[in-house]
Amino acid sequence: MKKRVFSGIQPTGIIHIGNYLGAIKRWVDLIEEYDCIYSIVDYHAITVSYDPKELPIRIIESAKILMAAGVDPDRVILFVQSSVSEHTELEWILNTITPVGDLERMTQYKDKRQQNVENINTGLLTYPVLMASDILLYKAEVIPVGEDQKQHLELTREIVRKFNRRFGNTFPEPQTLLGVAPRIKGLDGNAKMSKSLNNYIALIEEKEDIWNKLRIAVTDPARKRRNDPGNPEVCNIYSLHKYFSSEEEIEKVNKGCRNAEIGCVECKKILAENMDRVIAPIREKKKSFDGKENLVREILYSGAEQARKIAVQTMEEVREKIGVKF
Ligand code: AQP
């Protein structure tokens, strides 16, 4: 029996290279060895302000990008969270064993509170409980995510221990599997690359846009002029080279920056070329799904059907264990 993997992504319609290197690339690498379930987690996305007319479009766009990046629906279950109502059902039950204090301590909740002062809703607080139910509904054991989700997974393990102690052994403790780059910084060179901060390069960015964004990206702030030597260790462009450029090029820009042989523009040009080499096939494949929205919908419906079969079984067991089956 293969171990089960679960992970999710919010349907913002944009997947950036942080999401890709932090999680999605791992999703794809795991397909061969594991039984993988991947979800477009729309109920997570409605905790912040959004346009209900746009959301269905974003769901489909996200599915197209995931498939273009290698999430093959013939080999994994790919579905939309809200299509399987057991997610929210299990969440309610898990809510009853999750201390409010634990949720209030979550870093993401504290950040989102500040970013959404006009709407600090309960969903922001209970987000990690829904995430726990996403995972536990499928009894997943391996969870590929970026570093920002580590704390939520620790809480999921805590919820598992509590549930199993109280109601008998039911769920395995899921393990966090960090991506190849657990925390990609945004083009501001400071914050996490993030859609809401608009400091990202999209996974389907056009070549000229990759350059336009990199051109103005922050480098070593102490390197004021072309002839100043720079420090690659504090330069975000250098850290991005590590994921897109060859060993020789990384060495070349490292040395060239330190002795001012290479300027930031040249360094960025090399990165832009290499980045485009990775992004171009994904971008083109994504375009091949454009106009085929009905096909994408069918894929997601069929994924939901497969996911539901597992979810229903888990909920049968959970209902019996917590004493509401009579
Ligand atoms: N900068 C990042 N570096 C590494 N991994 C990252 N992830 C997100 N940003 C980075 C990982 O991508 C997966 C899917 O993320 P999500 O859908 O939960 O979105 P997010 O983390 O909320 O991404 P954003 O861009 O920061 O969205 P907004 O701005 O809307 O909040 C997760 O595994 C995540 O760890």
Side-chain angles (χ1 to χ4, degrees), residues 296-316:
V296 178
R297 242 173 245 122
E298 286 306 322
I299 290 171
L300 295 173
Y301 294 157
S302 144
E305 227 169 274
Q306 298 169 62
R308 202 176 297 119
K309 281 192 188 129
I310 307 167
V312 164
Q313 274 181 13
T314 306
M315 282 314 298
E316 273 291 298

Side-chain angles (χ1 to χ4, degrees), residues 5 68 107 126 264 277:
V5 167
T107 312
T126 56
C264 292
R277 209 165 296 133

Side-chain angles (χ1 to χ4, degrees), residues 7-12 16 18-24 27 41 108 112 115 127 144-149 181-185 192-197:
S7 196
I9 187 160
Q10 298 187 59
T12 46
H16 53 67
N19 298 135
Y20 182 64
L21 297 170
I24 313 298
W27 290 19
V41 290
Q108 184 174 298
K112 296 258 157 156
Q115 290 163 12
Y127 186 111
V145 285
E147 202 169 57
D148 57 334
Q149 296 301 326
R183 188 180 186 273
I184 292 285
K185 279 195 216 158
K192 183 190 92 152
M193 184 172 283
S194 165
K195 282 150 296 208
S196 46
L197 297 176

Side-chain angles (χ1 to χ4, degrees), residues 87-121:
H87 284 253
T88 42
E89 190 179 351
L90 181 58
E91 189 215 349
W92 176 255
I93 296 165
L94 300 182
N95 270 335
T96 65
I97 58 163
T98 308
V100 175
D102 285 3
L103 296 174
E104 281 171 340
R105 271 197 293 281
M106 294 292 116
T107 312
Q108 184 174 298
Y109 170 64
K110 289 184 197 160
D111 291 347
K112 296 258 157 156
R113 260 185 82 103
Q114 280 179 349
Q115 290 163 12
N116 300 280
V117 271
E118 74 295 343
N119 180 20
I120 305 172
N121 60 78

